[in-house]
Amino acid sequence: MAESTKTDTVVVGLGAMGAQALWRLARSGVDVIGIERFTPGHDRGSSHGESRIIRTAYMEGAEYVPFVRAAWRAWEELEQAAAERLLVRTGALMLGSPDDPAVTGSIAAAERHDLAHQVLSHERLTRRFPQHVTRPGEVGVFEEEAGAVLPEAAIRAAVRLAERSGARVRTGTTVSRIVPDPDRPSVLLSDGGRILARRVIVTAGSWLPRLLPEVADLGGGLRVERRVLGWFRTTQDPSPHVHGPVFARDEDDCTWYGFPSLDGGRTVKIGVHAETPGNRAEGAQWGEPVDPDVGPRAPDAADARRLGALAAGLRGVAELPERMAACMYTMTSDEHFLIGHRRELPGLVLAGGFSGHGYKFASAVGIALADLARDGRTDMPIAMFDPHRWD
Ligand SMILES: Cc1cc2nc3c(=O)[nH]c(=O)nc-3n(C[C@H](O)[C@H](O)[C@H](O)COP(=O)(O)OP(=O)(O)OC[C@H]3O[C@@H](n4cnc5c(N)ncnc54)[C@H](O)[C@@H]3O)c2cc1C
């Protein structure tokens, strides 16, 4: 006979989102079990690589700003509860031509929400941020309310605090199937165990479309894609990268981003967020599809060269990365998230499709998921992420 356990809520997947939901539920006194196939803070999903950008003047849409603000508050709560540094405030610089989306989107969000920001010409950029090689005609939008979240540390902290508040955590355990039911959904484990719950939160990241095929085709389908991060040695002493803002930069063929040095000036990390639409068809360099069970292809010399070409936009860094890491994005067709219920999946609360920009919100997503599982509703501004929006 398979072992059968009962609980109020199960969280499937303790990555960025699941760990925060687990903590929020446990600390509100809910009997909750978290299941993770690897270990919290692992490097096989979407939440590794030491840093994630958080910014408030949101170029992807001004309507995200209230959610980012909620996330800032929730990160600070987590940081305080964990008594550990999980946020690094650096400010952010969005670079590009005056009509590039990184620039226009950030300005639109800042103006709509009255966020302090400065638009800097090429000349002012060169004086104030000499670590960036900008071209005449390019501009930068600087905002102070931005920085980096430390992703692995934040996941581990949330899981640790959740356990301290009574959550049961099973690591190295894979969920093989979730059976929806309005009153008693259940979770089947690959070791033969079964958990009966009142609600199941599904935060399986890139494995979501596989675990719940009902979600796989939403809005034209979720796509799991490969991305590569590179760490470049700094070459000047003192390095101009010791301080300074996180940044994103629109080029003709892609949008890339990076961080100031978070290891005392030794290295800086950069990555490519997206290829410029239209460029994708010509080889899909950065959007290679991935089978999450196999994992993304290991970074190679071609990745190093492509990242190196972008790093030429930074002063005082080596030509090629000293190390790289591959990671997965789970894209929706409109690049907005999926958070909430689907009527054909009763008893389940979903969060996925974070489209390469979800980490910064994880603290607020955790609150929303905990609210939805516990109370069936939330005050978090998540209407735009409704999984029924394409119906
Ligand atoms: C390279 C890279 C850079 C990024 N940069 C930024 C950034 O700067 N700012 C930003 O806001 N966002 C950024 N993102 C996006 C952000 O990191 C993701 O949106 C976010 O981490 C997704 O979290 P998740 O919880 O959905 O997935 P994950 O954190 O991957 O969690 C899913 C978890 O579910 C577990 N799981 C899956 N299936 C099962 C199963 N069957 N049984 C048990 N456990 C299971 C997995 O092991 C995993 O731990 C970046 C992403 C990448 C890849």
Side-chain angles (χ1 to χ4, degrees):
M1 262 293 268
E3 181 207 347
S4 196
T5 309
K6 287 191 179 141
T7 188
D8 183 88
T9 304
V10 182
V11 181
V12 176
L14 301 181
M17 311 299 159
Q20 301 303 323
L22 187 81
W23 176 50
R24 293 287 169 178
L25 282 168
R27 86 173 200 159
S28 68
V30 172
D31 183 27
V32 56
I33 298 179
I35 313 286
E36 169 54 50
R37 67 191 302 161
F38 303 119
T39 50
H42 66 84
D43 63 358
R44 319 258 301 258
S46 303
S47 299
H48 55 284
E50 300 164 14
S51 49
R52 291 290 185 270
I53 292 177
I54 176 165
R55 48 199 159 75
T56 309
Y58 214 60
M59 63 174 167
E60 290 83 348
E63 59 277 33
Y64 280 85
V65 172
F67 204 33
V68 194
R69 285 182 153 156
W72 275 110
R73 289 191 293 275
W75 285 125
E76 282 161 4
E77 272 173 30
L78 177 67
E79 214 180 27
Q80 218 171 18
E84 182 186 346
R85 188 175 83 149
L86 303 171
L87 285 171
V88 186
R89 288 177 184 272
T90 63
L93 186 61
M94 301 292 118
L95 294 163
S97 301
D99 55 356
D100 277 337
V103 171
T104 55
S106 312
I107 295 174
E111 287 179 346
R112 183 154 136 207
H113 291 276
D114 232 349
L115 305 172
H117 69 290
Q118 296 151 32
V119 182
L120 305 171
S121 65
H122 162 67
E123 291 74 21
R124 286 182 67 199
L125 282 170
T126 308
R127 276 199 304 276
R128 185 158 163 199
F129 300 111
Q131 64 269 48
H132 289 281
V133 182
T134 50
R135 291 176 284 269
E138 276 186 309
V139 296
V141 185
F142 177 76
E143 69 155 332
E144 237 153 66
E145 274 297 288
V149 190
L150 309 183
E152 296 94 336
I155 291 171
R156 289 191 194 109
V159 172
R160 191 177 66 238
L161 290 170
E163 285 188 287
R164 216 178 278 166
S165 296
R168 287 174 278 172
V169 173
R170 295 197 193 168
T171 59
T173 304
T174 301
V175 170
S176 51
R177 219 178 116 215
I178 301 170
V179 184
D181 185 277
D183 306 313
R184 263 287 176 250
S186 56
V187 169
L188 310 184
L189 307 177
S190 55
D191 63 11
R194 186 167 81 121
I195 307 175
L196 289 171
R198 192 183 56 80
R199 289 290 173 263
V200 178
I201 294 177
V202 192
T203 43
S206 295
W207 289 265
L208 179 71
R210 187 153 293 181
L211 198 54
L212 292 178
E214 296 87 343
V215 174
D217 294 330
L218 287 185
L222 298 187
R223 297 187 317 275
V224 180
E225 296 183 353
R226 174 179 181 265
R227 291 295 187 283
V228 180
L229 296 164
W231 284 258
F232 288 75
R233 279 297 288 267
T234 59
T235 55
Q236 287 174 9
D237 190 18
S239 169
H241 297 283
V242 173
H243 303 291
V246 298
F247 68 91
R249 185 163 176 169
D250 278 340
E251 306 281 358
D252 287 344
D253 57 351
C254 73
T255 303
W256 61 292
Y257 60 89
F259 298 79
S261 178
L262 297 178
D263 58 8
R266 217 184 73 80
T267 63
V268 294
K269 187 186 92 172
I270 70 165
V272 171
H273 174 58
E275 239 146 353
T276 304
N279 205 47
R280 177 178 292 275
E282 300 178 16
Q285 293 183 330
W286 300 104
E288 191 178 305
V290 182
D291 174 343
D293 286 331
V294 176
R297 195 169 51 77
D300 60 13
D303 294 313
R305 282 194 301 276
R306 288 185 204 131
L307 288 172
L310 296 171
L314 298 175
R315 274 197 188 84
V317 302
E319 284 179 18
L320 291 172
E322 69 164 23
R323 68 185 164 103
M324 295 182 285
C327 194
M328 294 182 286
Y329 274 16
T330 309
M331 308 296 294
T332 61
S333 55
D334 60 9
E335 299 186 14
H336 300 308
F337 317 145
L338 293 177
I339 306 175
H341 305 280
R342 277 289 301 182
R343 68 181 73 83
E344 71 274 30
L345 296 170
L348 312 193
V349 182
L350 318 174
F354 285 96
S355 303
H357 63 118
Y359 200 99
K360 64 184 73 61
F361 300 97
S363 55
V365 173
I367 295 176
L369 294 174
D371 289 347
L372 291 173
R374 197 182 43 233
D375 312 323
R377 59 169 303 282
T378 183
D379 289 333
M380 281 285 155
I382 58 164
M384 67 184 284
F385 310 124
D386 184 353
H388 284 287
R389 66 181 175 273
W390 293 284
D391 293 1

